[in-house]
Amino acid sequence: MAFMNKYVLSLLVLFLAFYYYSENEEFKPEMLQGKKVIVTGASKGIGREIAYHLAKMGAHVVVTARSKETLQKVVSHCLELGAASAHYIAGTMEDMAFAEQFVAKAGKLLGGLDMLILNHITNSSLSPFHDDIHYVRKSMEVNFFSYVVLTVAALPMLKQSNGSIAVVSSMAGKISQPLIAAYSASKFALDGFFSSIRKEHSLLKVNVSITLCILGLIDTDTAMEAIAGVMNLSPAPKEECALEIIKGAALRQDELYYDKSRWTIFLLGNPGRKILEFFSLKNYNMEKFIKT
Ligand SMILES: NC(=O)c1ccc[n+]([C@@H]2O[C@H](COP(=O)([O-])OP(=O)(O)OC[C@H]3O[C@@H](n4cnc5c(N)ncnc54)[C@H](OP(=O)(O)O)[C@@H]3O)[C@@H](O)[C@H]2O)c1
Ligand SMILES: *[C@@H]1O[C@H](CO)[C@@H](O)[C@H](O)[C@H]1NC(C)=O
Ligand SMILES: *[C@@H]1O[C@H](CO)[C@@H](O)[C@H](O)[C@H]1NC(C)=O
Ligand SMILES: *[C@@H]1O[C@H](CO)[C@@H](O)[C@H](O)[C@H]1NC(C)=O
């Protein structure tokens, strides 16, 4: 028994050492120069900061959200900052036909696609769940299902470019918290879906990376208004958060954690899950799914 424990413990240490030290390629802003990138939910908050960073790095960007006026401003500022090109396409991600057509149009504008940054969410507020099933459905559609539709539409282009997908999620997509049941459900769904697809990509040799971004509280206007009077927490800055998301995607990391506190990041790592996933992969024979 003592032997087993020692054995398991050293295996665990080795595994974690491998896991945490295998992702240390260095990020350089030039990695994004001339790259073709889509950013959703880019009219304000973190999405807008992502667009501005990409612009400074000299990328081609297409941004989307519902409000045309703010998107116009984002596009002109992107051009001032040095974007190789910048366009917007306005519409709502409640409409799956829009989501699909958006990617097709953006792909035409860009002439391909290197990076898809999925960031938009439907509006939410902190309150106990009573009976608003329509809001649960809306959250699943906008925060989750539209991400699937956008990904399906973008994958052919991303496969051609060995591209990457960044999926913006939250601590609420890893641990449970009160007052955000619908939001939390949609963020957990992203983890289930995109982490499963990532495993398939690795087994089927599809070279499109998926980076799930787990964010703590960030100082966007929306978040600050939502928590006012309910939570007393100090947020992390949206500018740095946006940069970390781009870095994570460019370095093709599986997951990215960004929070004010290093402790949260450490504790959220969930080595148990990683170990179980690592060993469960050994049980699959994927031969019949590999296209020849
Ligand atoms: N801020 C935080 O504390 C925090 C923490 C953890 C995770 N996150 C995640 O970070 C991401 C960005 O959050 P944020 O705080 O930056 O949010 P935000 O400032 O409220 O921005 C949300 C964006 O989504 C767009 N949007 C809203 N409804 C839409 C719809 N129906 N169709 C298409 N676009 C829509 C908004 O533009 P329009 O209104 O013009 O459509 C806006 O551009 C989200 O995925 C969020 O879950 C944020
Ligand atoms: C979302 O915004 C709409 C329109 O502004 C509003 O009617 C609704 O109450 C908001 N929902 C939440 C959950 O904040
Ligand atoms: C994608 O990667 C494959 C090998 O991994 C390589 O042969 C191909 O040239 C790459 N394509 C692009 C566009 O980088
Ligand atoms: C996947 O694509 C990336 C980016 O082009 C490249 O650096 C990497 O070598 C490719 N990996 C494989 C296994 O082809």
Side-chain angles (χ1 to χ4, degrees), residues 41-47 65-67 70 91-94 119-123 142 147 168-171 183 187 215-218 220 222-223:
S43 66
K44 56 182 175 176
I46 299 164
R66 290 167 306 173
S67 65
T70 42
T92 177
M93 292 297 172
E94 290 162 74
N119 164 76
H120 63 276
I121 44 164
T122 189
N123 65 333
V142 178
Y147 280 41
V168 179
S169 186
S170 160
M171 275 173 62
Y183 174 82
K187 293 300 195 186
L215 312 181
L217 185 65
I218 312 299
T220 63
T222 306

PDB file of all heavy atoms in Angstrom, residues 41-47 65-67 70 91-94 119-123 142 147 168-171 183 187 215-218 220 222-223, ligand 1:
ATOM      1  N   GLY A  41     -18.321  39.809 -30.025  1.00  0.00           N
ATOM      2  CA  GLY A  41     -18.568  40.594 -28.812  1.00  0.00           C
ATOM      3  C   GLY A  41     -17.508  41.667 -28.653  1.00  0.00           C
ATOM      4  O   GLY A  41     -17.030  41.941 -27.557  1.00  0.00           O
ATOM      5  N   ALA A  42     -17.173  42.318 -29.788  1.00  0.00           N
ATOM      6  CA  ALA A  42     -16.014  43.227 -29.787  1.00  0.00           C
ATOM      7  C   ALA A  42     -16.409  44.701 -29.774  1.00  0.00           C
ATOM      8  O   ALA A  42     -15.584  45.557 -30.052  1.00  0.00           O
ATOM      9  CB  ALA A  42     -15.127  42.927 -30.992  1.00  0.00           C
ATOM     10  N   SER A  43     -17.660  45.010 -29.427  1.00  0.00           N
ATOM     11  CA  SER A  43     -18.057  46.427 -29.396  1.00  0.00           C
ATOM     12  C   SER A  43     -17.671  47.091 -28.091  1.00  0.00           C
ATOM     13  O   SER A  43     -17.635  48.314 -27.983  1.00  0.00           O
ATOM     14  CB  SER A  43     -19.565  46.555 -29.628  1.00  0.00           C
ATOM     15  OG  SER A  43     -20.277  45.977 -28.559  1.00  0.00           O
ATOM     16  N   LYS A  44     -17.416  46.276 -27.058  1.00  0.00           N
ATOM     17  CA  LYS A  44     -17.005  46.839 -25.762  1.00  0.00           C
ATOM     18  C   LYS A  44     -16.287  45.777 -24.950  1.00  0.00           C
ATOM     19  O   LYS A  44     -16.093  44.657 -25.429  1.00  0.00           O
ATOM     20  CB  LYS A  44     -18.225  47.368 -25.005  1.00  0.00           C
ATOM     21  CG  LYS A  44     -19.316  46.333 -24.796  1.00  0.00           C
ATOM     22  CD  LYS A  44     -20.511  46.943 -24.081  1.00  0.00           C
ATOM     23  CE  LYS A  44     -21.652  45.930 -23.986  1.00  0.00           C
ATOM     24  NZ  LYS A  44     -22.796  46.432 -23.230  1.00  0.00           N
ATOM     25  N   GLY A  45     -15.905  46.153 -23.727  1.00  0.00           N
ATOM     26  CA  GLY A  45     -15.336  45.181 -22.783  1.00  0.00           C
ATOM     27  C   GLY A  45     -14.071  44.493 -23.284  1.00  0.00           C
ATOM     28  O   GLY A  45     -13.257  45.087 -23.997  1.00  0.00           O
ATOM     29  N   ILE A  46     -13.941  43.227 -22.922  1.00  0.00           N
ATOM     30  CA  ILE A  46     -12.733  42.458 -23.234  1.00  0.00           C
ATOM     31  C   ILE A  46     -12.561  42.287 -24.743  1.00  0.00           C
ATOM     32  O   ILE A  46     -11.455  42.415 -25.267  1.00  0.00           O
ATOM     33  CB  ILE A  46     -12.790  41.078 -22.529  1.00  0.00           C
ATOM     34  CG1 ILE A  46     -12.854  41.261 -21.000  1.00  0.00           C
ATOM     35  CG2 ILE A  46     -11.582  40.220 -22.897  1.00  0.00           C
ATOM     36  CD1 ILE A  46     -13.290  40.029 -20.229  1.00  0.00           C
ATOM     37  N   GLY A  47     -13.655  42.045 -25.448  1.00  0.00           N
ATOM     38  CA  GLY A  47     -13.597  41.840 -26.900  1.00  0.00           C
ATOM     39  C   GLY A  47     -13.007  43.041 -27.624  1.00  0.00           C
ATOM     40  O   GLY A  47     -12.186  42.900 -28.544  1.00  0.00           O
ATOM     41  N   ALA A  65     -20.808  42.392 -33.237  1.00  0.00           N
ATOM     42  CA  ALA A  65     -21.654  42.561 -32.057  1.00  0.00           C
ATOM     43  C   ALA A  65     -22.974  43.066 -32.641  1.00  0.00           C
ATOM     44  O   ALA A  65     -23.114  43.097 -33.869  1.00  0.00           O
ATOM     45  CB  ALA A  65     -21.062  43.576 -31.075  1.00  0.00           C
ATOM     46  N   ARG A  66     -23.920  43.492 -31.807  1.00  0.00           N
ATOM     47  CA  ARG A  66     -25.185  43.972 -32.369  1.00  0.00           C
ATOM     48  C   ARG A  66     -25.122  45.446 -32.757  1.00  0.00           C
ATOM     49  O   ARG A  66     -25.708  45.860 -33.749  1.00  0.00           O
ATOM     50  CB  ARG A  66     -26.324  43.756 -31.363  1.00  0.00           C
ATOM     51  CG  ARG A  66     -26.697  42.296 -31.164  1.00  0.00           C
ATOM     52  CD  ARG A  66     -27.578  42.129 -29.963  1.00  0.00           C
ATOM     53  NE  ARG A  66     -26.948  42.732 -28.778  1.00  0.00           N
ATOM     54  CZ  ARG A  66     -27.521  42.868 -27.605  1.00  0.00           C
ATOM     55  NH1 ARG A  66     -28.759  42.449 -27.421  1.00  0.00           N
ATOM     56  NH2 ARG A  66     -26.879  43.407 -26.587  1.00  0.00           N
ATOM     57  N   SER A  67     -24.441  46.270 -31.967  1.00  0.00           N
ATOM     58  CA  SER A  67     -24.569  47.719 -32.178  1.00  0.00           C
ATOM     59  C   SER A  67     -23.562  48.256 -33.188  1.00  0.00           C
ATOM     60  O   SER A  67     -22.362  48.309 -32.938  1.00  0.00           O
ATOM     61  CB  SER A  67     -24.457  48.468 -30.853  1.00  0.00           C
ATOM     62  OG  SER A  67     -23.177  48.290 -30.318  1.00  0.00           O
ATOM     63  N   THR A  70     -21.173  51.495 -32.284  1.00  0.00           N
ATOM     64  CA  THR A  70     -19.954  51.263 -31.503  1.00  0.00           C
ATOM     65  C   THR A  70     -18.931  50.463 -32.313  1.00  0.00           C
ATOM     66  O   THR A  70     -17.731  50.706 -32.213  1.00  0.00           O
ATOM     67  CB  THR A  70     -20.262  50.532 -30.178  1.00  0.00           C
ATOM     68  OG1 THR A  70     -21.201  49.514 -30.444  1.00  0.00           O
ATOM     69  CG2 THR A  70     -20.841  51.464 -29.153  1.00  0.00           C
ATOM     70  N   GLY A  91     -24.765  42.206 -36.085  1.00  0.00           N
ATOM     71  CA  GLY A  91     -25.887  41.262 -36.066  1.00  0.00           C
ATOM     72  C   GLY A  91     -25.972  40.594 -34.709  1.00  0.00           C
ATOM     73  O   GLY A  91     -25.092  40.774 -33.867  1.00  0.00           O
ATOM     74  N   THR A  92     -27.053  39.832 -34.498  1.00  0.00           N
ATOM     75  CA  THR A  92     -27.212  39.197 -33.194  1.00  0.00           C
ATOM     76  C   THR A  92     -26.917  37.704 -33.249  1.00  0.00           C
ATOM     77  O   THR A  92     -27.339  37.008 -34.166  1.00  0.00           O
ATOM     78  CB  THR A  92     -28.629  39.419 -32.607  1.00  0.00           C
ATOM     79  OG1 THR A  92     -28.702  38.694 -31.365  1.00  0.00           O
ATOM     80  CG2 THR A  92     -29.729  38.924 -33.543  1.00  0.00           C
ATOM     81  N   MET A  93     -26.219  37.215 -32.266  1.00  0.00           N
ATOM     82  CA  MET A  93     -25.870  35.795 -32.165  1.00  0.00           C
ATOM     83  C   MET A  93     -27.029  34.973 -31.588  1.00  0.00           C
ATOM     84  O   MET A  93     -26.874  33.790 -31.300  1.00  0.00           O
ATOM     85  CB  MET A  93     -24.600  35.610 -31.330  1.00  0.00           C
ATOM     86  CG  MET A  93     -23.366  36.163 -32.001  1.00  0.00           C
ATOM     87  SD  MET A  93     -22.988  35.308 -33.556  1.00  0.00           S
ATOM     88  CE  MET A  93     -21.653  36.340 -34.182  1.00  0.00           C
ATOM     89  N   GLU A  94     -28.189  35.618 -31.415  1.00  0.00           N
ATOM     90  CA  GLU A  94     -29.406  34.842 -31.133  1.00  0.00           C
ATOM     91  C   GLU A  94     -29.868  34.150 -32.412  1.00  0.00           C
ATOM     92  O   GLU A  94     -30.636  33.198 -32.371  1.00  0.00           O
ATOM     93  CB  GLU A  94     -30.538  35.780 -30.667  1.00  0.00           C
ATOM     94  CG  GLU A  94     -30.325  36.380 -29.302  1.00  0.00           C
ATOM     95  CD  GLU A  94     -31.213  37.599 -29.093  1.00  0.00           C
ATOM     96  OE1 GLU A  94     -32.423  37.437 -28.895  1.00  0.00           O
ATOM     97  OE2 GLU A  94     -30.681  38.737 -29.162  1.00  0.00           O
ATOM     98  N   ASN A 119     -16.223  35.343 -27.935  1.00  0.00           N
ATOM     99  CA  ASN A 119     -16.185  36.094 -26.689  1.00  0.00           C
ATOM    100  C   ASN A 119     -17.542  36.659 -26.251  1.00  0.00           C
ATOM    101  O   ASN A 119     -17.740  36.967 -25.085  1.00  0.00           O
ATOM    102  CB  ASN A 119     -15.164  37.234 -26.879  1.00  0.00           C
ATOM    103  CG  ASN A 119     -15.265  38.329 -25.848  1.00  0.00           C
ATOM    104  OD1 ASN A 119     -14.829  38.164 -24.715  1.00  0.00           O
ATOM    105  ND2 ASN A 119     -15.885  39.449 -26.220  1.00  0.00           N
ATOM    106  N   HIS A 120     -18.502  36.788 -27.163  1.00  0.00           N
ATOM    107  CA  HIS A 120     -19.767  37.456 -26.834  1.00  0.00           C
ATOM    108  C   HIS A 120     -20.597  36.655 -25.833  1.00  0.00           C
ATOM    109  O   HIS A 120     -20.497  35.429 -25.768  1.00  0.00           O
ATOM    110  CB  HIS A 120     -20.601  37.664 -28.111  1.00  0.00           C
ATOM    111  CG  HIS A 120     -21.002  36.370 -28.752  1.00  0.00           C
ATOM    112  ND1 HIS A 120     -20.177  35.670 -29.608  1.00  0.00           N
ATOM    113  CD2 HIS A 120     -22.121  35.602 -28.618  1.00  0.00           C
ATOM    114  CE1 HIS A 120     -20.783  34.554 -29.985  1.00  0.00           C
ATOM    115  NE2 HIS A 120     -21.957  34.482 -29.404  1.00  0.00           N
ATOM    116  N   ILE A 121     -21.432  37.334 -25.085  1.00  0.00           N
ATOM    117  CA  ILE A 121     -22.440  36.688 -24.230  1.00  0.00           C
ATOM    118  C   ILE A 121     -23.698  37.535 -24.252  1.00  0.00           C
ATOM    119  O   ILE A 121     -23.631  38.736 -24.481  1.00  0.00           O
ATOM    120  CB  ILE A 121     -22.006  36.554 -22.750  1.00  0.00           C
ATOM    121  CG1 ILE A 121     -21.350  37.865 -22.250  1.00  0.00           C
ATOM    122  CG2 ILE A 121     -21.098  35.377 -22.534  1.00  0.00           C
ATOM    123  CD1 ILE A 121     -21.246  37.950 -20.737  1.00  0.00           C
ATOM    124  N   THR A 122     -24.834  36.893 -23.994  1.00  0.00           N
ATOM    125  CA  THR A 122     -26.066  37.657 -23.849  1.00  0.00           C
ATOM    126  C   THR A 122     -26.026  38.377 -22.505  1.00  0.00           C
ATOM    127  O   THR A 122     -25.281  37.980 -21.603  1.00  0.00           O
ATOM    128  CB  THR A 122     -27.306  36.740 -23.946  1.00  0.00           C
ATOM    129  OG1 THR A 122     -28.478  37.571 -24.004  1.00  0.00           O
ATOM    130  CG2 THR A 122     -27.409  35.788 -22.776  1.00  0.00           C
ATOM    131  N   ASN A 123     -26.790  39.454 -22.374  1.00  0.00           N
ATOM    132  CA  ASN A 123     -26.723  40.210 -21.115  1.00  0.00           C
ATOM    133  C   ASN A 123     -27.223  39.372 -19.943  1.00  0.00           C
ATOM    134  O   ASN A 123     -28.129  38.570 -20.064  1.00  0.00           O
ATOM    135  CB  ASN A 123     -27.496  41.536 -21.218  1.00  0.00           C
ATOM    136  CG  ASN A 123     -28.980  41.334 -21.422  1.00  0.00           C
ATOM    137  OD1 ASN A 123     -29.407  40.328 -21.958  1.00  0.00           O
ATOM    138  ND2 ASN A 123     -29.771  42.303 -20.970  1.00  0.00           N
ATOM    139  N   VAL A 142     -27.135  31.828 -27.104  1.00  0.00           N
ATOM    140  CA  VAL A 142     -26.170  32.884 -27.416  1.00  0.00           C
ATOM    141  C   VAL A 142     -24.777  32.548 -26.896  1.00  0.00           C
ATOM    142  O   VAL A 142     -23.784  32.685 -27.612  1.00  0.00           O
ATOM    143  CB  VAL A 142     -26.636  34.255 -26.844  1.00  0.00           C
ATOM    144  CG1 VAL A 142     -25.602  35.333 -27.123  1.00  0.00           C
ATOM    145  CG2 VAL A 142     -27.991  34.634 -27.417  1.00  0.00           C
ATOM    146  N   TYR A 147     -21.621  29.571 -30.501  1.00  0.00           N
ATOM    147  CA  TYR A 147     -20.186  29.269 -30.563  1.00  0.00           C
ATOM    148  C   TYR A 147     -19.954  28.013 -31.405  1.00  0.00           C
ATOM    149  O   TYR A 147     -18.976  27.913 -32.134  1.00  0.00           O
ATOM    150  CB  TYR A 147     -19.606  29.047 -29.151  1.00  0.00           C
ATOM    151  CG  TYR A 147     -19.298  30.305 -28.351  1.00  0.00           C
ATOM    152  CD1 TYR A 147     -20.146  31.406 -28.354  1.00  0.00           C
ATOM    153  CD2 TYR A 147     -18.148  30.383 -27.570  1.00  0.00           C
ATOM    154  CE1 TYR A 147     -19.865  32.538 -27.603  1.00  0.00           C
ATOM    155  CE2 TYR A 147     -17.845  31.510 -26.814  1.00  0.00           C
ATOM    156  CZ  TYR A 147     -18.719  32.581 -26.833  1.00  0.00           C
ATOM    157  OH  TYR A 147     -18.423  33.701 -26.095  1.00  0.00           O
ATOM    158  N   VAL A 168     -13.817  32.112 -24.918  1.00  0.00           N
ATOM    159  CA  VAL A 168     -13.737  32.856 -23.662  1.00  0.00           C
ATOM    160  C   VAL A 168     -14.782  32.324 -22.682  1.00  0.00           C
ATOM    161  O   VAL A 168     -15.981  32.359 -22.948  1.00  0.00           O
ATOM    162  CB  VAL A 168     -13.917  34.373 -23.890  1.00  0.00           C
ATOM    163  CG1 VAL A 168     -13.859  35.104 -22.555  1.00  0.00           C
ATOM    164  CG2 VAL A 168     -12.827  34.894 -24.820  1.00  0.00           C
ATOM    165  N   SER A 169     -14.290  31.780 -21.574  1.00  0.00           N
ATOM    166  CA  SER A 169     -15.172  31.265 -20.539  1.00  0.00           C
ATOM    167  C   SER A 169     -14.869  31.963 -19.224  1.00  0.00           C
ATOM    168  O   SER A 169     -14.304  33.066 -19.224  1.00  0.00           O
ATOM    169  CB  SER A 169     -15.028  29.751 -20.429  1.00  0.00           C
ATOM    170  OG  SER A 169     -15.976  29.243 -19.526  1.00  0.00           O
ATOM    171  N   SER A 170     -15.211  31.327 -18.149  1.00  0.00           N
ATOM    172  CA  SER A 170     -15.193  32.007 -16.859  1.00  0.00           C
ATOM    173  C   SER A 170     -14.928  30.974 -15.768  1.00  0.00           C
ATOM    174  O   SER A 170     -15.109  29.771 -15.982  1.00  0.00           O
ATOM    175  CB  SER A 170     -16.571  32.628 -16.660  1.00  0.00           C
ATOM    176  OG  SER A 170     -16.805  32.911 -15.311  1.00  0.00           O
ATOM    177  N   MET A 171     -14.552  31.449 -14.596  1.00  0.00           N
ATOM    178  CA  MET A 171     -14.470  30.550 -13.450  1.00  0.00           C
ATOM    179  C   MET A 171     -15.820  29.878 -13.229  1.00  0.00           C
ATOM    180  O   MET A 171     -15.882  28.736 -12.770  1.00  0.00           O
ATOM    181  CB  MET A 171     -14.082  31.335 -12.199  1.00  0.00           C
ATOM    182  CG  MET A 171     -12.578  31.499 -12.073  1.00  0.00           C
ATOM    183  SD  MET A 171     -12.142  32.573 -10.721  1.00  0.00           S
ATOM    184  CE  MET A 171     -12.807  31.671  -9.332  1.00  0.00           C
ATOM    185  N   TYR A 183     -26.020  31.393 -16.888  1.00  0.00           N
ATOM    186  CA  TYR A 183     -24.692  31.753 -17.403  1.00  0.00           C
ATOM    187  C   TYR A 183     -23.706  30.617 -17.156  1.00  0.00           C
ATOM    188  O   TYR A 183     -22.976  30.180 -18.054  1.00  0.00           O
ATOM    189  CB  TYR A 183     -24.242  33.036 -16.690  1.00  0.00           C
ATOM    190  CG  TYR A 183     -22.832  33.500 -16.972  1.00  0.00           C
ATOM    191  CD1 TYR A 183     -22.537  34.228 -18.122  1.00  0.00           C
ATOM    192  CD2 TYR A 183     -21.799  33.242 -16.061  1.00  0.00           C
ATOM    193  CE1 TYR A 183     -21.242  34.677 -18.366  1.00  0.00           C
ATOM    194  CE2 TYR A 183     -20.510  33.695 -16.297  1.00  0.00           C
ATOM    195  CZ  TYR A 183     -20.231  34.408 -17.445  1.00  0.00           C
ATOM    196  OH  TYR A 183     -18.949  34.850 -17.676  1.00  0.00           O
ATOM    197  N   LYS A 187     -21.461  28.226 -19.728  1.00  0.00           N
ATOM    198  CA  LYS A 187     -19.998  28.185 -19.695  1.00  0.00           C
ATOM    199  C   LYS A 187     -19.483  26.759 -19.446  1.00  0.00           C
ATOM    200  O   LYS A 187     -18.469  26.359 -20.011  1.00  0.00           O
ATOM    201  CB  LYS A 187     -19.462  29.146 -18.631  1.00  0.00           C
ATOM    202  CG  LYS A 187     -19.714  30.643 -18.930  1.00  0.00           C
ATOM    203  CD  LYS A 187     -19.061  31.092 -20.235  1.00  0.00           C
ATOM    204  CE  LYS A 187     -18.982  32.608 -20.365  1.00  0.00           C
ATOM    205  NZ  LYS A 187     -18.484  33.032 -21.691  1.00  0.00           N
ATOM    206  N   LEU A 215     -11.616  33.007 -17.046  1.00  0.00           N
ATOM    207  CA  LEU A 215     -11.347  34.330 -16.481  1.00  0.00           C
ATOM    208  C   LEU A 215     -11.994  34.499 -15.115  1.00  0.00           C
ATOM    209  O   LEU A 215     -13.108  34.037 -14.886  1.00  0.00           O
ATOM    210  CB  LEU A 215     -11.896  35.417 -17.412  1.00  0.00           C
ATOM    211  CG  LEU A 215     -11.553  35.302 -18.901  1.00  0.00           C
ATOM    212  CD1 LEU A 215     -12.156  36.484 -19.670  1.00  0.00           C
ATOM    213  CD2 LEU A 215     -10.052  35.237 -19.122  1.00  0.00           C
ATOM    214  N   GLY A 216     -11.290  35.199 -14.226  1.00  0.00           N
ATOM    215  CA  GLY A 216     -11.884  35.658 -12.972  1.00  0.00           C
ATOM    216  C   GLY A 216     -12.597  36.970 -13.247  1.00  0.00           C
ATOM    217  O   GLY A 216     -12.884  37.302 -14.404  1.00  0.00           O
ATOM    218  N   LEU A 217     -12.848  37.746 -12.200  1.00  0.00           N
ATOM    219  CA  LEU A 217     -13.554  39.016 -12.390  1.00  0.00           C
ATOM    220  C   LEU A 217     -12.670  40.029 -13.130  1.00  0.00           C
ATOM    221  O   LEU A 217     -11.530  40.259 -12.746  1.00  0.00           O
ATOM    222  CB  LEU A 217     -13.970  39.572 -11.030  1.00  0.00           C
ATOM    223  CG  LEU A 217     -14.819  40.851 -11.081  1.00  0.00           C
ATOM    224  CD1 LEU A 217     -16.167  40.591 -11.743  1.00  0.00           C
ATOM    225  CD2 LEU A 217     -15.004  41.422  -9.684  1.00  0.00           C
ATOM    226  N   ILE A 218     -13.218  40.614 -14.187  1.00  0.00           N
ATOM    227  CA  ILE A 218     -12.500  41.581 -15.016  1.00  0.00           C
ATOM    228  C   ILE A 218     -13.255  42.912 -14.972  1.00  0.00           C
ATOM    229  O   ILE A 218     -14.491  42.925 -14.969  1.00  0.00           O
ATOM    230  CB  ILE A 218     -12.420  41.083 -16.485  1.00  0.00           C
ATOM    231  CG1 ILE A 218     -11.955  39.615 -16.552  1.00  0.00           C
ATOM    232  CG2 ILE A 218     -11.527  41.988 -17.323  1.00  0.00           C
ATOM    233  CD1 ILE A 218     -10.594  39.319 -15.996  1.00  0.00           C
ATOM    234  N   THR A 220     -14.708  45.144 -16.656  1.00  0.00           N
ATOM    235  CA  THR A 220     -15.524  45.736 -17.727  1.00  0.00           C
ATOM    236  C   THR A 220     -16.740  46.424 -17.103  1.00  0.00           C
ATOM    237  O   THR A 220     -17.172  46.062 -16.001  1.00  0.00           O
ATOM    238  CB  THR A 220     -16.011  44.666 -18.719  1.00  0.00           C
ATOM    239  OG1 THR A 220     -16.873  43.738 -18.038  1.00  0.00           O
ATOM    240  CG2 THR A 220     -14.839  43.873 -19.305  1.00  0.00           C
ATOM    241  N   THR A 222     -19.821  46.204 -17.860  1.00  0.00           N
ATOM    242  CA  THR A 222     -20.899  45.226 -17.658  1.00  0.00           C
ATOM    243  C   THR A 222     -20.721  44.463 -16.351  1.00  0.00           C
ATOM    244  O   THR A 222     -21.665  44.346 -15.560  1.00  0.00           O
ATOM    245  CB  THR A 222     -20.909  44.198 -18.815  1.00  0.00           C
ATOM    246  OG1 THR A 222     -20.969  44.904 -20.043  1.00  0.00           O
ATOM    247  CG2 THR A 222     -22.083  43.256 -18.710  1.00  0.00           C
ATOM    248  N   ALA A 223     -19.514  43.967 -16.112  1.00  0.00           N
ATOM    249  CA  ALA A 223     -19.272  43.160 -14.916  1.00  0.00           C
ATOM    250  C   ALA A 223     -19.364  44.017 -13.652  1.00  0.00           C
ATOM    251  O   ALA A 223     -19.944  43.595 -12.649  1.00  0.00           O
ATOM    252  CB  ALA A 223     -17.913  42.480 -15.009  1.00  0.00           C
TER     253      ALA A 223
HETATM  254  N1  LIG B   1     -16.010  40.784 -17.170  1.00  0.00           N
HETATM  255  C1  LIG B   1     -15.854  39.762 -16.380  1.00  0.00           C
HETATM  256  O1  LIG B   1     -15.739  39.895 -15.159  1.00  0.00           O
HETATM  257  C2  LIG B   1     -15.791  38.371 -16.945  1.00  0.00           C
HETATM  258  C3  LIG B   1     -15.474  37.315 -16.085  1.00  0.00           C
HETATM  259  C4  LIG B   1     -15.390  36.023 -16.595  1.00  0.00           C
HETATM  260  C5  LIG B   1     -15.639  35.810 -17.925  1.00  0.00           C
HETATM  261  N2  LIG B   1     -15.965  36.852 -18.748  1.00  0.00           N
HETATM  262  C6  LIG B   1     -16.252  36.573 -20.150  1.00  0.00           C
HETATM  263  O2  LIG B   1     -15.603  37.494 -20.987  1.00  0.00           O
HETATM  264  C7  LIG B   1     -16.389  37.708 -22.163  1.00  0.00           C
HETATM  265  C8  LIG B   1     -16.589  39.197 -22.381  1.00  0.00           C
HETATM  266  O3  LIG B   1     -17.182  39.762 -21.230  1.00  0.00           O
HETATM  267  P1  LIG B   1     -17.262  41.345 -21.046  1.00  0.00           P
HETATM  268  O4  LIG B   1     -17.329  41.608 -19.596  1.00  0.00           O
HETATM  269  O5  LIG B   1     -16.217  41.982 -21.853  1.00  0.00           O
HETATM  270  O6  LIG B   1     -18.718  41.636 -21.667  1.00  0.00           O
HETATM  271  P2  LIG B   1     -19.314  42.999 -22.301  1.00  0.00           P
HETATM  272  O7  LIG B   1     -18.410  44.139 -22.050  1.00  0.00           O
HETATM  273  O8  LIG B   1     -20.712  43.083 -21.831  1.00  0.00           O
HETATM  274  O9  LIG B   1     -19.313  42.689 -23.856  1.00  0.00           O
HETATM  275  C9  LIG B   1     -20.207  41.765 -24.391  1.00  0.00           C
HETATM  276  C10 LIG B   1     -20.147  41.863 -25.899  1.00  0.00           C
HETATM  277  O10 LIG B   1     -21.089  40.942 -26.470  1.00  0.00           O
HETATM  278  C11 LIG B   1     -21.946  41.650 -27.368  1.00  0.00           C
HETATM  279  N3  LIG B   1     -23.283  41.035 -27.358  1.00  0.00           N
HETATM  280  C12 LIG B   1     -24.215  41.087 -26.382  1.00  0.00           C
HETATM  281  N4  LIG B   1     -25.326  40.431 -26.757  1.00  0.00           N
HETATM  282  C13 LIG B   1     -25.091  39.973 -28.004  1.00  0.00           C
HETATM  283  C14 LIG B   1     -25.871  39.251 -28.946  1.00  0.00           C
HETATM  284  N5  LIG B   1     -27.117  38.871 -28.664  1.00  0.00           N
HETATM  285  N6  LIG B   1     -25.330  38.942 -30.144  1.00  0.00           N
HETATM  286  C15 LIG B   1     -24.061  39.332 -30.447  1.00  0.00           C
HETATM  287  N7  LIG B   1     -23.282  40.025 -29.605  1.00  0.00           N
HETATM  288  C16 LIG B   1     -23.793  40.346 -28.392  1.00  0.00           C
HETATM  289  C17 LIG B   1     -21.956  43.084 -26.850  1.00  0.00           C
HETATM  290  O11 LIG B   1     -22.236  44.029 -27.869  1.00  0.00           O
HETATM  291  P3  LIG B   1     -23.734  44.485 -28.270  1.00  0.00           P
HETATM  292  O12 LIG B   1     -24.453  44.775 -27.017  1.00  0.00           O
HETATM  293  O13 LIG B   1     -23.488  45.650 -29.140  1.00  0.00           O
HETATM  294  O14 LIG B   1     -24.302  43.323 -29.035  1.00  0.00           O
HETATM  295  C18 LIG B   1     -20.500  43.242 -26.413  1.00  0.00           C
HETATM  296  O15 LIG B   1     -19.696  43.559 -27.517  1.00  0.00           O
HETATM  297  C19 LIG B   1     -17.670  36.918 -21.961  1.00  0.00           C
HETATM  298  O16 LIG B   1     -17.571  35.671 -22.613  1.00  0.00           O
HETATM  299  C20 LIG B   1     -17.720  36.733 -20.462  1.00  0.00           C
HETATM  300  O17 LIG B   1     -18.463  35.593 -20.090  1.00  0.00           O
HETATM  301  C21 LIG B   1     -16.057  38.120 -18.281  1.00  0.00           C
END
